[in-house]
Amino acid sequence: MSTHSRITHTAVHLPTRRQHVTEIEQLLHRHSPALKLPAGLLQRTFGLHQRTVADPGDLPSDLAARAAARLLHTARLSPADIDLLLFAAVSADVREPANAHIVAAKTGMTCPAFDIGNACNGVINALQVADALIRTGQHRRVLITCGETLTRLSRWNLTRDQLRTGLTSLTGADLGAALLVEPSPVPGITGSVFLANSVGWPAATLYDPHHAPDHPQGLHVDSEALLGSFVDLDVQGAQWLKDQHVDVRDLDLVCVHQPSVPFVDAFRTRMGIDTAQIVPTFPHTGNAAAATLPLQLAHAVDHRRLAPGDTVALFGLASGASGAVMLLRW
């Protein structure tokens, strides 16, 4: 029995509709005319050009199921070949039951299914779980799915006082993603470390309207506080890489969570990552939340930037705050 696991396939479903940054600003002006914001603010602040937008009737499970179906087709597998389905996303159709059951039903799977949630780090934590379950022999083929409909968190009615925590909501994207993890005779997931600074949790919140009705509703992100909550997590991640005798500059591909272009640039500079090592997705997709890392992997595969034996690092950063580094051999 194999004691290792590896990612064997990845797929994404990108909605065909795009919302240009000019359209976003026009909608904001229409709903909040008193703001009088300068044109091009979103592009200058976040580096956004356009974002992907799902059809109104599509739910997170629909986007996840389409990505899963695409992956199964590419891998020449049937739903019966999957023995565990995980759903990991910020977005959700329901709070009960687990959204993974909805994705399973829509794709014809009858295997066990459950959700994993950790804000934008949901997928990398799902990889952690899949790796452990495969290495201990509990499962063989684990399908990780993600469906994000973050454009629906856009806060269009803002006052000037609310702008600081509301502007980020206009950068969210809609898409589905899927990753297949299988046993391997040699390590594919070669190492990982997971970090947290939980006192930073108030920096980005989306309260449940049913269970916390007296708290501010909608997505609230204090960008300065959120950035501050990551302080020292990158230092710890860099030290862990050093302990593994890994020089990030020697890696073939680096996938970084991308909430904005300036954030990625700052993180890349602090970690010593070269621009050519990164697949930029934010400018023409938006903030894909938990789907960001599989989106970059899928782009790399589609554009022949990944070959067997290549070394990859996944850097997960999520509100909470949570940090993660996972090393792969493709």
Side-chain angles (χ1 to χ4, degrees):
M1 182 172 61
S2 173
T3 58
H4 306 293
S5 75
R6 62 187 290 260
I7 300 171
T8 57
H9 295 279
T10 180
V12 294
H13 168 74
L14 290 170
T16 57
R17 183 185 167 194
R18 298 292 186 272
Q19 191 174 51
H20 192 270
V21 66
T22 303
E23 182 184 353
I24 298 172
E25 291 183 348
Q26 288 173 346
L27 284 169
L28 179 61
H29 177 70
R30 189 181 308 161
H31 290 278
S32 305
L35 284 179
K36 306 296 183 184
L37 298 178
L41 179 64
L42 285 173
Q43 186 169 340
R44 290 194 301 273
T45 303
F46 300 106
L48 183 68
H49 294 282
Q50 62 180 8
R51 60 178 181 170
T52 51
V53 182
D55 291 336
D58 282 340
L59 298 173
S61 65
D62 293 314
L63 304 181
R66 287 173 195 150
R70 180 171 296 178
L71 185 148
L72 291 175
H73 177 75
T74 302
R76 298 183 178 180
L77 296 173
S78 72
D81 293 320
I82 305 301
D83 68 322
L84 178 65
L85 174 68
L86 304 178
F87 179 86
V90 173
S91 308
D93 293 23
V94 295
R95 292 300 174 192
E96 185 177 345
N99 293 268
H101 292 297
I102 306 174
V103 178
K106 289 179 177 179
T107 52
M109 297 182 197
T110 58
C111 60
F114 60 90
D115 292 357
I116 292 178
N118 188 17
C120 295
N121 272 2
V123 166
I124 198 168
N125 283 124
L127 283 169
Q128 177 190 18
V129 171
D131 176 55
L133 292 174
I134 289 173
R135 287 191 293 105
T136 54
Q138 297 181 64
H139 290 281
R140 286 190 56 78
R141 285 197 178 105
V142 181
L143 182 60
I144 298 169
T145 63
C146 178
E148 299 285 17
T149 52
L150 300 183
T151 64
R152 295 168 190 174
L153 299 180
S154 300
R155 294 171 58 196
W156 300 111
N157 297 292
L158 295 172
T159 66
R160 185 159 294 277
D161 290 340
Q162 296 170 333
L163 189 63
R164 185 173 62 87
T165 62
L167 197 61
T168 303
S169 72
L170 305 180
T171 66
D174 301 340
L175 72 154
L179 295 170
L180 182 63
V181 187
E182 298 186 84
S184 172
V186 295
I189 297 176
T190 58
S192 59
V193 64
F194 295 86
L195 310 163
N197 175 34
S198 297
V199 297
W201 75 265
T205 59
L206 180 61
Y207 281 100
D208 190 306
H210 301 289
H211 299 289
D214 296 330
H215 288 72
Q217 298 302 302
L219 180 63
H220 292 256
V221 180
D222 184 331
S223 298
E224 185 176 344
L226 183 59
L227 186 62
S229 70
F230 293 125
V231 168
D232 197 48
L233 294 185
D234 58 344
V235 175
Q236 294 179 57
Q239 183 59 50
W240 180 80
L241 287 170
K242 185 177 180 181
D243 293 342
Q244 308 307 305
H245 307 290
V246 172
D247 187 336
V248 71
R249 294 168 295 184
D250 294 332
L251 297 169
D252 296 298
L253 181 72
V254 177
C255 299
V256 181
H257 180 57
Q258 299 186 19
S260 73
V261 171
F263 183 95
V264 175
D265 288 343
F267 182 81
R268 179 185 59 76
T269 300
R270 285 178 63 88
M271 297 297 291
I273 302 167
D274 190 87
T275 304
Q277 293 175 280
I278 293 177
V279 177
T281 57
F282 177 87
H284 296 283
T285 303
N287 184 351
T292 301
L293 296 179
L295 173 63
Q296 292 170 64
L297 288 174
H299 273 314
V301 171
D302 290 344
H303 292 86
R304 301 182 185 277
R305 289 191 56 177
L306 270 179
D310 281 355
T311 53
V312 182
L314 307 180
F315 285 94
L317 296 159
S319 59
S322 294
V325 185
M326 181 172 283
L327 298 174
L328 312 174
R329 185 168 293 279
W330 202 250

